[in-house]
Amino acid sequence: MTDTATKSPVDIRKMANAIRFLSMDAVQKANSGHPGMPMGMADVAAVLFTRFAKVDPTAPRWPDRDRFVLSAGHGSMLLYSLAYLLGYKDVDIEQIQNFRQLGARTAGHPEYGHVDFAETTTGPLGQGIANAVGMALGERMMNARFGSDLVDHYTWVIAGDGCLMEGISQEVVSFAGHQKLGKLVVFWDDNQITIDGETSKATSEDQLKRFEAAHWHTQAVDGHDPDAVAAAIEKAKSDPRPSLIACRTVIGYGAPSLAGTAKTHGAPLGEAEINATREALDWPHAPFEVPDDVLNAWRAAAERGTAARRAWEQTVDAEPADKREAFFDFVAGKLPKGWERGLDDYKKKCAEDQVKVATRKASQQCLEHIVPALPQIVGGSADLTGSNLTNTKQMSGVEAGHYAGNYVYWGVREHGMAAMMNGLALHGGFIPYGGTFLVFTDYLRPALRMSAIMNQRVVYVMTHDSIGLGEDGPTHQPVEHLASLRAMPNVLVMRPADAIETAECWQIALHTDDQPSVLALSRQNLPTIRQYTAENLCARGGYVLSEPEDGTRDCTIIATGSEVQLALTAQVMLNNVGIKAAVVSMPCQELFDQQPTDYRQQVLGKGVFRVAIEALSTYGWEKYVGDEGAVIGMRQFGASGPADQLYQFFGITAEAVADVVTARLKR
Amino acid sequence: MTDTATKSPVDIRKMANAIRFLSMDAVQKANSGHPGMPMGMADVAAVLFTRFAKVDPTAPRWPDRDRFVLSAGHGSMLLYSLAYLLGYKDVDIEQIQNFRQLGARTAGHPEYGHVDFAETTTGPLGQGIANAVGMALGERMMNARFGSDLVDHYTWVIAGDGCLMEGISQEVVSFAGHQKLGKLVVFWDDNQITIDGETSKATSEDQLKRFEAAHWHTQAVDGHDPDAVAAAIEKAKSDPRPSLIACRTVIGYGAPSLAGTAKTHGAPLGEAEINATREALDWPHAPFEVPDDVLNAWRAAAERGTAARRAWEQTVDAEPADKREAFFDFVAGKLPKGWERGLDDYKKKCAEDQVKVATRKASQQCLEHIVPALPQIVGGSADLTGSNLTNTKQMSGVEAGHYAGNYVYWGVREHGMAAMMNGLALHGGFIPYGGTFLVFTDYLRPALRMSAIMNQRVVYVMTHDSIGLGEDGPTHQPVEHLASLRAMPNVLVMRPADAIETAECWQIALHTDDQPSVLALSRQNLPTIRQYTAENLCARGGYVLSEPEDGTRDCTIIATGSEVQLALTAQVMLNNVGIKAAVVSMPCQELFDQQPTDYRQQVLGKGVFRVAIEALSTYGWEKYVGDEGAVIGMRQFGASGPADQLYQFFGITAEAVADVVTARLKR
């Protein structure tokens, strides 16, 4: 594969028109979708995929393929058209014809896992370009680990004005420039149109200058001039910086009356306009019909990638067996045998010593065992390393030119961090975790949702998990955050109560390779609340931590994290007045909900009065305490003051638990 | 007030040192806080407040004051020190001594409403600079309405590296440059240090170039050279563009061993270092003691502002009475008498015609009545005007140089939009509303939380509120969003079921002057579900929409928004099999929870089987349906397909309601 692969015998403009017509016809048939962008960027895409991009439709997921990210995901028909034209087996003409229909792989926006050609799910603007920066970082990091023979590929992005207006783009543009990710090329679809009309209504910034300020290589070209686009790509590849190529295009290019207007952005063009476009572009073919010469030219172009993949496989085959195995295990995200031994020893030691330690600190102690055991781990923090305790003694920073490190200083860029972690995970192999304060999950929430939608193993280490952080006050104290994360599908939200549970929650997070996890960790020290068990009790989501000796109970106290110790104190207080309480630790509602009904009833205590205590929003706890139960938690924002005073002030105490139980059971 | 106010007789460096020692001593006493930034920026702040900023401690909230925003809110002691030194009555030396203590006004981060000098609550990075852009826009918009005699003031911001790394900063920097907000000046505390150490670990971009790309005026100065700072401010004021002044500073300036290191950022310096700093800076005074000459010099400087305020009042007094009244009514956010008449007529008409209309469209029809009636309204959308239907026929765009408009094209910048709306509301007078898709509340969530913490009347018009949006698929279909917003304290989350309820929800949102509101509105058409009532039934949060004729019921069906029609259909289906159901419309859980117990029990139906239906996450509904109840909703992410098929696919149908009731009541 060279940069100067020969041109196709069919006029590339005709090949681009195939994208245009597939896109406008599919949108018209679905009566829904976005034709304007695929029509505008068809020429750029045709140049990229016929002459440069290293992808193989016959082996869509081979590790050293180039990554292509359609950040402007609403232009999904560009991606599906390319997949069909290049010959990806899972996108046949029926899929194109069923665009946006329930059950079709060709969803409204490209969905990771639905079509092989989608390297990530895009649509929410700015996420794709951020994923791509993570992928480009992953490429360099894997290259540093396995060498250029095994890992050497580009990441290509198509981004629109929307992606570049979203704040997350700045976070990752700044990061990519700082990390000198030279194998990243972003094509900006500079069509000067957004949904509200001309971009000049809302923005006027000089994008090239903006990217240059972040140390990118920049160029501007006519996006409808294939030779100019090709020349720009050549230049981008030869420059050591990440590259922005501003492609001046006409949205809806080819549509005689509507091209260049917002009307082509998000609605079918209509039969009349489509017919007129057929005439204007000299495309006499029926909808969904691509003439043989054009289709053959596309398929022939795809063979470059197949050849490249075969050559790569030969290189791999020539490697020593142990290196090959290490590489493929890495790429598959396979956890080495026995990796948990250190963690298990740690659990034992914590139980023996009955340590008193903040769960954020316990998390760091766990990482001291995890990081050496798992080569795929990449740690980091959004500039709160010393607070999140996300680093370990063995880790070293990932820096421009020195990508062998395994700890990323993400900067004060929570949103970018999360989306770039998605990119690392999607790239394959890496298991990223990143830290910030729990309250700032709000800043990264759109990317966390993408982790969940895409079933990615990304671990969010969220410390300072309640009013227990104290003096920083309400802007830094999470309240609604656990409830709001628990409401999100496919996320494991875990709040361990002590060092032992912290180790168990880390085990769960790393074993769960199809879901992101959120670890909510305390700033303040917490006592050890239980003994060692070989079984991972947290994996049940909730379990009986302490029961009256005779196994009968008058009430159940359910708690998580730092409030489990309060529940245990309340249990003693109640015992002193002759009330028998069981204490349930419930680090993870999602896992508890998956347990058999019998188990859940036994843990919760059928028919007994139940009270839940958690120093966060009470929202959602009714499900576990029931109609007659009580919830002790936050019903307002926090306040600034020492943590112990705040617990008193907001009434989140063992006394409050004992009082509510006593009052109820005396009725 | 001129730009060249005479210098103070006391050396300004000494005046700056007063800030330094108050800050380090207060942090030391609290044993918590951030001394580094106040010490680093003390010189800049001293120049700004002794020579330029137009504030009056004796009338902290006079309308034409300059606005000062400490975007780097962790440096709160800078703000409190300034308040004390300038003579704000509510920050006396006891407040300084009680920094970060429970009940003190001097909270860990500056809290709006706690101290008069805090124009906004800051701490979550990037929010402050975004609020400031909103304030600067508000200044220009109010100037366009009332003239330069009444409105002519600056907005000053101190921002740190963290604020500039956050993506939201790019959104608002781009916006401010585009809107040519020339009376906005941002001081960047360029101390090259963040929590993780040197900024070079995570960023290397050329900030001046970045701001220039957005058409800002930029300068770089030594932040410890008062004359250079003053000269830069003069230049910034004389330039018509918004200004960035990069102030090269030393974090923790003056501390002999720790200055210039991350150790001064977020922890007390310790007694030894504080003593050494006293020697180094020749400050032989006890903690919290400011020598008379220094204090007097500060108080004298503040008199400039008092004089300016008095002059302004004389100008105001000379205005015609009706203009004065209009101005003060505007500033107070007072709703004119009779403003609701049009909305009430609209309710009547919808009831008469039994219209079938999407609630987003109904919202636009409401706005056609609201906008002409309320001068303070400012509308807008994050580039989804035609989808959110946030504009009206009478509105005109707010553009650079033409600030008389009342509709803002915010661009694809949801987070910036929300934070700038906060700024508009905080500036005084304006009632901002802004639109995007409900799913993208995730993008603006940190700013929405600030609306709630600060009790600001900001209305979030969030359309496409369920899988009912159809083909755009799971990335665009909200699931967990309503639950996650309901969990947030102090937010009214409203999901109206038809045009009549939409009008009522708009009335509630506008009457509620101490809370933000979220209006969740449908993309798809919805039938009218009730008759006209003079009473605003939605103000109860939930109400019995339809009851069996004899007033007795076997079950209750609770629904919101687009699912209320399904509940009514299920009611008929159940009636056909001899089961009597009441239908409850519950547009707002928060308001319902505030109703008396009797009312709530009566609405929910004590002791009867209850089922809730809402095409979003089921999380949190157990509270209303109880232990034996059922919830029909989403337990996973959505899918791409036509809306009606999605409702069937996910089992959110009248049949599902009827089935679950029938199955339960037959047991």
Side-chain angles (χ1 to χ4, degrees), chain B residues 433-550:
Chain B
Y433 71 82
T436 185
F437 290 159
L438 178 60
V439 78
F440 298 138
T441 48
D442 280 354
Y443 274 74
L444 55 77
R445 197 171 164 90
L448 169 57
R449 190 172 205 254
M450 300 307 289
S451 308
I453 285 188
M454 296 192 283
N455 299 99
Q456 293 301 299
R457 175 168 50 185
V458 175
V459 185
Y460 294 85
V461 181
M462 305 286 108
T463 69
H464 296 60
D465 71 347
S466 74
I467 52 167
L469 68 84
E471 290 87 348
D472 274 349
T475 53
H476 285 55
Q477 290 162 357
V479 172
E480 69 277 21
H481 299 78
L482 283 191
S484 74
L485 294 167
R486 287 168 179 153
M488 191 183 284
N490 208 39
V491 181
L492 291 183
V493 180
M494 295 183 273
R495 188 167 187 249
D498 68 0
I500 295 173
E501 284 199 356
T502 303
E504 292 185 345
C505 290
W506 261 113
Q507 286 177 303
I508 295 164
L510 294 167
H511 275 294
T512 307
D513 63 3
D514 60 353
Q515 287 183 274
S517 295
V518 174
L519 300 179
L521 304 173
S522 75
R523 176 188 187 217
Q524 70 273 34
N525 284 340
L526 303 178
T528 300
I529 51 133
R530 53 172 253 232
Q531 295 304 318
Y532 171 80
T533 56
E535 186 190 346
N536 184 328
L537 295 180
C538 290
R540 297 280 198 136
Y543 61 93
V544 177
L545 172 65
S546 172
E547 253 183 328
E549 276 179 23
D550 64 0

Side-chain angles (χ1 to χ4, degrees), chain A residues 167 171 204 215 443 449 480, chain B residues 125 167 171 204 215 449 480:
Chain A
E171 299 184 11
S204 49
H215 311 300
Y443 273 75
R449 189 173 206 255
E480 69 277 20
Chain B
L125 295 176
E171 298 184 11
S204 49
H215 312 301
R449 190 172 205 254
E480 69 277 21

Side-chain angles (χ1 to χ4, degrees), chain A residues 466-473 477 523-524 563 566 615 634 636-655, chain B residues 29-32 97-104 106:
Chain A
S466 74
I467 52 168
L469 68 86
E471 290 87 348
D472 274 349
Q477 292 162 356
R523 176 188 186 216
Q524 69 272 34
E563 285 69 70
L566 302 182
M634 297 291 289
Q636 56 185 291
F637 291 113
S640 173
D644 51 348
Q645 292 178 32
L646 292 174
Y647 271 91
Q648 293 293 328
F649 181 77
F650 289 108
I652 299 172
T653 61
E655 290 76 13
Chain B
K29 181 157 190 286
N31 195 27
S32 168
Q97 288 168 329
N98 282 314
F99 177 54
R100 291 187 157 230
Q101 301 313 299
L102 189 56
T106 45

Side-chain angles (χ1 to χ4, degrees), chain A residues 30 32 34 100-103 106-109 111 121-127 161-162 165-168 170-171 174-175 177-179 194-197 199-206 209-210 212-215 381-387 407 409-415 439-440 442-443 445-446 449-450 452-453 471-484 486-490 589 617 619-623 625-628 635-637 639-642 645-646 649, chain B residues 30 32 34 100-103 106-109 111 121-127 161-162 165-168 170-171 174-175 177-179 194-197 199-206 209-210 212-215 381-387 407 409-415 439-440 442-443 445-446 449-450 452-453 471-484 486-490 589 617 619-623 625-628 635-637 639-642 645-646 649:
Chain A
S32 168
H34 302 76
R100 291 189 158 230
Q101 301 312 299
L102 188 57
T106 44
H109 292 81
E111 304 282 341
T121 296
T122 51
L125 295 175
Q127 298 296 325
D161 290 295
M165 274 195 265
E166 290 287 358
I168 188 174
Q170 181 63 21
E171 299 184 11
S174 172
F175 182 88
H178 183 67
Q179 291 278 354
T194 64
I195 292 175
D196 275 359
T199 51
S200 60
K201 274 188 175 164
T203 186
S204 49
E205 75 191 301
D206 181 338
K209 193 167 181 179
R210 172 187 164 204
E212 284 159 17
H215 311 300
S381 167
D383 196 49
L384 285 170
T385 296
S387 298
Y407 192 84
Y409 293 98
W410 293 111
V412 188
R413 307 182 182 108
E414 298 83 7
H415 197 181
V439 77
F440 297 138
D442 281 352
Y443 273 75
R445 197 172 165 89
R449 189 173 206 255
M450 298 308 288
I453 285 187
E471 290 87 348
D472 274 349
T475 53
H476 285 55
Q477 292 162 356
V479 173
E480 69 277 20
H481 298 79
L482 283 192
S484 74
R486 288 168 178 154
M488 192 183 283
N490 207 39
Q589 289 184 356
S617 170
Y619 198 85
W621 275 107
E622 289 82 3
K623 179 174 175 182
V625 300
D627 291 351
E628 301 299 320
R635 291 163 201 274
Q636 56 185 291
F637 291 113
S640 173
Q645 292 178 32
L646 292 174
F649 181 77
Chain B
S32 168
H34 303 75
R100 291 187 157 230
Q101 301 313 299
L102 189 56
T106 45
H109 290 81
E111 304 281 343
T121 296
T122 52
L125 295 176
Q127 297 297 324
D161 290 296
M165 272 195 268
E166 291 286 359
I168 188 176
Q170 181 63 22
E171 298 184 11
S174 172
F175 182 88
H178 183 67
Q179 289 280 352
T194 64
I195 291 175
D196 275 359
T199 50
S200 60
K201 273 188 176 164
T203 186
S204 49
E205 73 192 302
D206 181 338
K209 194 167 180 179
R210 173 188 164 203
E212 284 159 16
H215 312 301
S381 167
D383 196 48
L384 285 170
T385 297
S387 298
Y407 192 85
Y409 292 98
W410 294 109
V412 188
R413 306 182 180 106
E414 299 82 7
H415 197 182
V439 78
F440 298 138
D442 280 354
Y443 274 74
R445 197 171 164 90
R449 190 172 205 254
M450 300 307 289
I453 285 188
E471 290 87 348
D472 274 349
T475 53
H476 285 55
Q477 290 162 357
V479 172
E480 69 277 21
H481 299 78
L482 283 191
S484 74
R486 287 168 179 153
M488 191 183 284
N490 208 39
Q589 289 184 356
S617 170
Y619 198 84
W621 275 107
E622 289 82 2
K623 180 173 175 185
V625 300
D627 291 352
E628 302 298 320
R635 293 163 199 272
Q636 63 189 102
F637 291 113
S640 173
Q645 293 178 32
L646 293 174
F649 181 76

